[in-house]
Amino acid sequence: MGAIIPAILPTSREDLENKLGRLHGLARAVQIDIVDGRYASPASWPYTEHDEVKTSVEFLPYLGQFQFEFDLMVEHSGLVAGGWIDHGVNRITLHAESTRDLPAVIEKLQVTYGHDKGFAPDLLSFGLAIGVETDLALIEPYLDRADYVQFMGIRTIGRQGEPFDNRIVRKIVAFRKAHPDTPVQVDGGVNLVTAPVLLDAGVSRLVIGSGLWKAPDLKEELRKYQQLAEEHGIYEK
């Protein structure tokens, strides 16, 4: 997995196809942000086009040409995660605050898909996302079953272009000290100014949305982030 992961918050299937097309040949892994309009808002594709989301092979463009990562900013994320996994998603990020029964969700996914932490991570990985204001104690009991932790770098999730919340840096430093072997990624507010700060704090993967899409040259912007990662000793794996 690479250190720099482009993120797409699709407004429609056409928007998703267009952005995947622009990334084709530039990135191996792509994160798709899925927002249901209830847990976070506004709603993204496919919730913008379907009252009841039903995943299918046809539902996901460029299947097999990217390693797809889905960030599920939805209520009851455990209920919809399986549908995406069944159709080729390689990484699923569950927001710890999105369900009241996190242990049952994790156990169901492990039993259904035979997932063990660290086993064939390129095929299937589970991660736990945590917000800026959420106590780390919420995820502590489940770290032995999570492949990675995703820290949200913005206070209001579900939207790209939100300002970076500096409080997350102290949180990451504390987490890395307590759990040096748990991979950490950050989503939200990542740009060329905040990226070096996050890498210095011990982050190994940067998920970047508007920091890429607002750039005049997508390829050149990706190169700048990849160079930053390499300067911090993080390379493509």
Side-chain angles (χ1 to χ4, degrees), residues 88 94 102 128 141 144 205 209:
L94 304 172
L102 190 57
L128 294 174
D144 62 337
R205 299 177 93 239

Side-chain angles (χ1 to χ4, degrees), residues 55 72 77-87 92 109 113:
T55 60
L72 299 179
S77 54
L79 298 179
V80 301
W84 293 113
I85 295 170
D86 288 342
H87 295 300
I92 292 286
L109 290 174
Y113 298 98

Side-chain angles (χ1 to χ4, degrees), residues 137-155:
L138 179 63
I139 62 172
E140 289 279 352
Y142 317 112
L143 293 177
D144 62 337
R145 289 179 278 175
D147 292 291
Y148 61 94
V149 171
Q150 174 173 295
F151 286 86
M152 303 306 296
I154 53 179
R155 186 174 184 275

Side-chain angles (χ1 to χ4, degrees), residues 120-185:
D122 285 346
L123 296 178
L124 181 60
S125 296
F126 294 129
L128 294 174
I130 188 167
V132 174
E133 297 179 332
T134 301
D135 195 317
L136 286 169
L138 179 63
I139 62 172
E140 289 279 352
Y142 317 112
L143 293 177
D144 62 337
R145 289 179 278 175
D147 292 291
Y148 61 94
V149 171
Q150 174 173 295
F151 286 86
M152 303 306 296
I154 53 179
R155 186 174 184 275
T156 303
I157 67 171
R159 305 178 186 187
Q160 290 188 345
E162 292 290 302
F164 183 71
D165 193 321
N166 286 297
R167 292 177 296 171
I168 202 64
V169 177
R170 295 192 299 274
K171 203 166 195 171
I172 292 168
V173 170
F175 181 85
R176 294 293 294 151
K177 185 176 181 180
H179 305 283
D181 297 326
T182 300
V184 169
Q185 63 187 47

